[in-house]
Amino acid sequence: MTLRNERSQRKNNYRILAQRFVLEEQWEKAVMAYEKALSFSSGEDALDLLFDLANVYWTMGRMRDAVFCYKKILNKKPVPGAYYALGVLAFSDEDYKKAIKFLRKAVYYDPAYEEAYYYLALTYDALGRKKVALELFFQCIHLNPYNAVVYSDIGSLYEEWGQYQRARRYVKRALSLDEGLYLSWYNLGVIEQKSGHLARAEGAYARARALMPNYPPVYLNLSSIYLPLGLYEKSAFILSQGIRLGAKSVNLYYNRACSYMRMGFRQEAIGDLSQAIVLEPEAREWASRDSDLKSIVKEVP
């Protein structure tokens, strides 16, 4: 066996070993095996191994090590996937300027990189540049007309702008592609609620709850339907359901305190406001300006 073939065989052996450790979730051993494989590799093989090693570091939460791997790849070759990964990591850190730089590089080297366009859209959305985000979402649809999540995101933008008919059309398109998207059902509920179709909103929120029982906004929005109608018990009941199912949120306790006060349950309201303040100390300030709760603020420890 030639030296070159021997090195290739050792690289493959260590890579197989690393992949086994990954399947067994033995992350530290996987790292050591990938590093050994890298010591016997070069060229394109090294790039693939660096990607695999970066994925392990990402899973372990060792983001700096993952970034090091991606940058090492880019020192060898401008690989779109490495730029994309760095962009996603920067987006996760809310470093939007850096995210745009890396994601723009990804689509420069691969103009058909749908996922990179998607994260670019999310980044511009987070920056408040909604029209740019919309253009990028449409670019995603151009590349893949069957991406339900993107249709849902487009619908959310139109809902923010008060264009409910258009928003409804895009969210329903998302659901026609994938009925299991709880955020799409939630978005549809928001659209119907803002359009004044409360029964339809309830139905959409019910579907969202069935898919994601611990998603707090569903319970908050349902309570906001019932509270103005004077259905205080129903409002308190739905908020209690959310709390019981683990959808812990300062707003769930806060809103239930409001419902209890309107029902005349003062001690229960004090208990909920106290819990809300534990979760978010600023809730005390909110309550001091709230007509429902300001009379009990001083009774909360």
Side-chain angles (χ1 to χ4, degrees):
M1 182 182 291
T2 65
L3 179 61
R4 183 175 180 179
N5 288 340
E6 183 180 350
R7 288 177 62 85
S8 178
Q9 184 63 51
R10 288 189 178 185
K11 176 205 69 182
N12 290 334
N13 288 342
Y14 279 113
R15 185 173 196 173
I16 291 168
L17 185 62
Q19 290 169 341
R20 193 186 80 192
F21 287 138
V22 168
L23 290 173
E24 296 172 353
E25 297 186 2
Q26 298 187 56
W27 307 116
E28 293 291 350
K29 289 183 178 180
V31 167
M32 289 189 287
Y34 275 125
E35 287 176 344
K36 289 293 290 184
L38 279 164
S39 70
F40 293 106
S41 63
S42 60
E44 294 294 327
D45 285 342
L47 298 184
D48 290 342
L49 287 166
L50 283 167
F51 266 115
D52 290 342
L53 180 56
N55 288 337
V56 172
Y57 282 137
W58 198 323
T59 302
M60 297 171 72
R62 292 170 58 176
M63 298 312 184
R64 287 187 179 181
D65 291 319
V67 167
F68 178 79
C69 289
Y70 293 127
K71 288 187 174 180
K72 200 168 182 179
I73 291 167
L74 293 173
N75 285 337
K76 297 175 181 291
K77 186 177 179 180
V79 181
Y83 283 119
Y84 168 74
L86 289 171
V88 172
L89 286 170
F91 175 82
S92 299
D93 290 337
E94 298 183 3
D95 189 343
Y96 299 131
K97 184 176 180 181
K98 188 179 287 186
I100 289 171
K101 180 184 78 171
F102 286 129
L103 293 167
R104 285 289 182 192
K105 283 279 191 179
V107 298
Y108 173 79
Y109 286 106
D110 182 0
Y113 206 147
E114 178 195 350
E115 294 86 352
Y117 282 112
Y118 181 71
Y119 266 93
L120 266 174
L122 294 181
T123 303
Y124 280 109
D125 188 19
L127 289 168
R129 298 179 63 180
K130 307 290 185 179
K131 290 185 178 179
V132 178
L134 183 63
E135 291 173 5
L136 290 162
F137 282 136
F138 276 124
Q139 179 64 24
C140 294
I141 294 299
H142 174 73
L143 292 168
N144 177 12
Y146 303 104
N147 190 325
V149 172
V150 177
Y151 285 105
S152 188
D153 289 332
I154 292 172
S156 293
L157 283 178
Y158 282 125
E159 177 269 313
E160 285 183 42
W161 293 331
Q163 299 181 35
Y164 301 132
Q165 186 172 347
R166 189 171 289 180
R168 186 183 292 107
R169 184 165 70 247
Y170 280 99
V171 171
K172 285 191 172 182
R173 172 60 174 156
L175 291 169
S176 73
L177 292 168
D178 185 352
E179 288 190 346
L181 291 175
Y182 78 92
L183 273 177
S184 295
W185 286 109
Y186 170 75
N187 289 340
L188 182 59
V190 172
I191 293 162
E192 299 296 3
Q193 185 175 358
K194 289 186 175 181
S195 300
H197 303 139
L198 301 185
R200 293 183 193 173
E202 282 185 283
Y205 288 141
R207 294 293 296 271
R209 274 198 300 153
L211 291 165
M212 185 61 67
N214 61 347
Y215 186 56
V218 173
Y219 301 96
L220 293 170
N221 284 19
L222 277 168
S223 72
S224 72
I225 290 175
Y226 304 137
L227 205 58
L229 298 174
L231 301 173
Y232 308 136
E233 290 185 5
K234 200 168 184 180
S235 173
F237 176 77
I238 196 68
L239 292 166
S240 297
Q241 273 195 325
I243 292 167
R244 188 168 62 253
L245 291 169
K248 287 194 175 181
S249 161
V250 57
N251 292 320
L252 293 181
Y253 285 103
Y254 187 94
N255 283 24
R256 192 170 67 172
C258 292
S259 297
Y260 281 151
M261 280 299 288
R262 295 193 186 188
M263 293 163 66
F265 297 162
R266 189 180 185 87
Q267 291 305 313
E268 288 82 355
I270 291 171
D272 270 2
L273 181 55
S274 177
Q275 184 61 44
I277 291 170
V278 169
L279 293 170
E280 174 53 72
E282 196 176 342
R284 187 184 294 274
E285 180 62 26
W286 304 341
S288 68
R289 301 191 302 268
D290 191 318
S291 60
D292 285 325
L293 302 177
K294 62 184 179 181
S295 66
I296 64 170
V297 173
K298 292 182 180 179
E299 298 180 53
V300 177

